[in-house]
Amino acid sequence: PGLSARWRATLACVGRAAFTAIRLRDMIRLRRVTVTLLNLGFIPLLTTGCLGGLGTAPERGVLSQEFEVDVSSQRTRMATRNAELGHAGTVELIADSIMAATRDPVVARNALSWKANAIPVIQRAFHHADPLLSFVDGWILSEQMLDYYATGAGRDAFGEYQPMAVRGLEAVTRRIDERVEEVLDSAGYQRVSSFVRNWSDAYPLDNDLFVREPVGQVAAETLDNVQLGGLAAVGRMEDLALDAQQMVQSYLAYTPKVLLWQAQLIATEMVDTTVVGPLLDQVDQLQVLAAATRLMDDLPSVVAAERRATVADVEALADSVLATLLVMASTERATVLDQVARLVREERSGFSDDVATTLITTVEAGGDEAIEVLDHVLWRIAQLAVLLVLLFSVVQFFLFRAFLRRSSDPSAPSRA
């Protein structure tokens, strides 16, 4: 839980690749041993010779009796085997055709994922202990898969090649339906086909891993209702041995392919940038950590050098800005003074012109009255001047007579 999403994706890819490699190795070993046993006829010999006489099996399976279907187990097994091969082969063929035809990497990956994930599910569906359950489960899967790619969540998985997949799946379901209709009577066909369609409608597929509701629960409930003794509940031991042989052959035929397809899916995801991106990011992060470690060692000297360079740049920038501001201030001051002087001169000149204009207008408006007033003022000034001159002359005259009288009087003290 403490890992990041990128680390979890990385570990998931690595673990998936390792699991696929181990599984491929084990299946190769199992294939060798099983092929040897099958070639020797060991499984049929053992089951037939040692266990064949333990019980007598009914001709019909348990679900055949429950559904009241009159068909033998051996015939049901043959139909199941053919349906399995047809379904798996159709999926593989169509997926390969889509991958060969398309140039869209998403469509190609969806086709590869389809056959890699669907064929193991097909194998599990067609292999149950009861033969009719195997057939019915495979039939249900074919209906569910058709609905998934025709109208369900996978309806756009293959782009322009979607009709190819839908037509192939329709052919599979049609062959199964026709085969069932041939071997069953009308009532039996109606009961089985209704169950298949009702189940596929009730539990549709919603994922490309084809995880679905198992039909085995219905078989378990049916086995509880039908009471059979011993090995008769599932069939003769010879039939079980044949089923096991066919199941092993089916798995041996497709398991190496499925493992190869899963490996191709992993390789596709590793090439996909959305998946491999986190891995590359982790590598980049390791490189970043190494570079960060080297940077931490050189950090003091780097910081000192950067600080000196920064201080020098700041001082040079401050000096440049200061000089620029001084020049701009001087220029602005001279410009402001020039504008103020010009405005003062303009205002003074305008005021003088206004005063002169006002005086001239006033004089012109006064006319003769203004002239008479001025003449009267001037006349009064002239009269006042004459009066002052006369007054001054009288004063001088009396002063002069007083001086003469005083000079002629002998009794007057002299200035000694």
Side-chain angles (χ1 to χ4, degrees), residues 108-154:
R109 185 196 178 282
N110 291 338
L112 179 61
S113 175
W114 180 28
K115 65 179 182 179
N117 296 328
I119 289 181
V121 178
I122 294 172
Q123 291 174 322
R124 290 193 298 270
F126 280 100
H127 290 286
H128 295 280
D130 188 276
L132 185 58
L133 176 61
S134 300
F135 188 86
V136 168
D137 196 9
W139 190 0
I140 291 174
L141 178 60
S142 65
E143 293 285 349
Q144 290 174 329
M145 194 174 296
L146 174 60
D147 293 339
Y148 177 77
Y149 284 111
T151 58

Side-chain angles (χ1 to χ4, degrees), residues 9-306:
T10 303
L11 293 177
C13 292
V14 173
R16 189 174 178 182
F19 175 77
T20 303
I22 295 173
R23 188 177 177 187
L24 179 60
R25 181 198 63 186
D26 295 340
M27 291 305 302
I28 291 174
R29 293 177 180 176
L30 177 63
R31 178 186 176 91
R32 294 174 181 173
V33 174
T34 308
V35 168
T36 302
L37 293 177
L38 290 175
N39 290 335
L40 294 176
F42 179 75
I43 293 178
L45 179 62
L46 177 62
T47 56
T48 304
C50 299
L51 301 177
L54 291 180
T56 302
E59 288 298 324
R60 295 187 299 161
V62 174
L63 290 184
S64 298
Q65 300 178 51
E66 180 66 14
F67 282 117
E68 299 179 1
V69 175
D70 187 13
V71 60
S72 65
S73 298
Q74 186 173 4
R75 191 171 185 180
T76 305
R77 286 186 172 89
M78 292 177 60
T80 303
R81 177 62 175 167
N82 293 333
E84 176 194 3
L85 294 177
H87 195 175
T90 300
V91 170
E92 181 182 6
L93 179 62
I94 295 176
D96 290 340
S97 300
I98 293 175
M99 293 174 61
T102 186
R103 293 185 179 181
D104 189 345
V106 176
V107 173
R109 185 196 178 282
N110 291 338
L112 179 61
S113 175
W114 180 28
K115 65 179 182 179
N117 296 328
I119 289 181
V121 178
I122 294 172
Q123 291 174 322
R124 290 193 298 270
F126 280 100
H127 290 286
H128 295 280
D130 188 276
L132 185 58
L133 176 61
S134 300
F135 188 86
V136 168
D137 196 9
W139 190 0
I140 291 174
L141 178 60
S142 65
E143 293 285 349
Q144 290 174 329
M145 194 174 296
L146 174 60
D147 293 339
Y148 177 77
Y149 284 111
T151 58
R155 61 184 178 274
D156 299 324
F158 306 124
E160 60 179 323
Y161 302 100
Q162 193 76 21
M164 183 186 299
V166 173
R167 286 194 299 269
L169 293 174
E170 287 176 345
V172 171
T173 56
R174 184 171 58 253
R175 284 196 299 268
I176 295 176
D177 188 272
E178 292 173 353
R179 183 60 178 167
V180 175
E181 193 173 9
E182 288 176 1
V183 300
L184 297 182
D185 55 21
S186 176
Y189 169 77
Q190 185 64 33
R191 283 191 295 271
V192 176
S193 61
S194 298
F195 174 78
V196 169
R197 291 185 174 85
N198 291 337
W199 186 277
S200 60
D201 292 339
Y203 304 102
L205 288 174
D206 58 359
N207 59 89
D208 60 356
L209 296 178
F210 306 104
V211 179
R212 61 199 185 101
E213 185 72 16
V215 192
Q217 182 64 29
V218 178
E221 295 174 358
T222 303
L223 290 175
D224 289 339
N225 295 331
V226 180
Q227 301 295 329
L228 294 175
L231 297 175
V234 293
R236 294 180 302 176
M237 293 304 299
E238 295 93 331
D239 294 334
L240 293 177
L242 181 60
D243 289 343
Q245 183 180 12
Q246 291 179 350
M247 182 177 65
V248 170
Q249 289 177 348
S250 175
Y251 275 91
L252 290 178
Y254 276 105
T255 298
K257 294 182 180 180
V258 171
L259 293 176
L260 177 61
W261 297 333
Q262 292 290 346
Q264 290 176 351
L265 279 176
I266 296 175
T268 303
E269 292 178 355
M270 296 298 292
V271 174
D272 189 0
T273 56
T274 59
V275 178
V276 75
L279 299 177
L280 298 178
D281 291 341
Q282 299 297 332
V283 175
D284 293 339
Q285 288 181 3
L286 294 176
Q287 295 177 353
V288 169
L289 290 176
T293 302
R294 293 192 299 269
L295 179 61
M296 291 299 294
D297 295 336
D298 300 336
L299 188 58
S301 59
V302 172
V303 170
E306 289 296 327

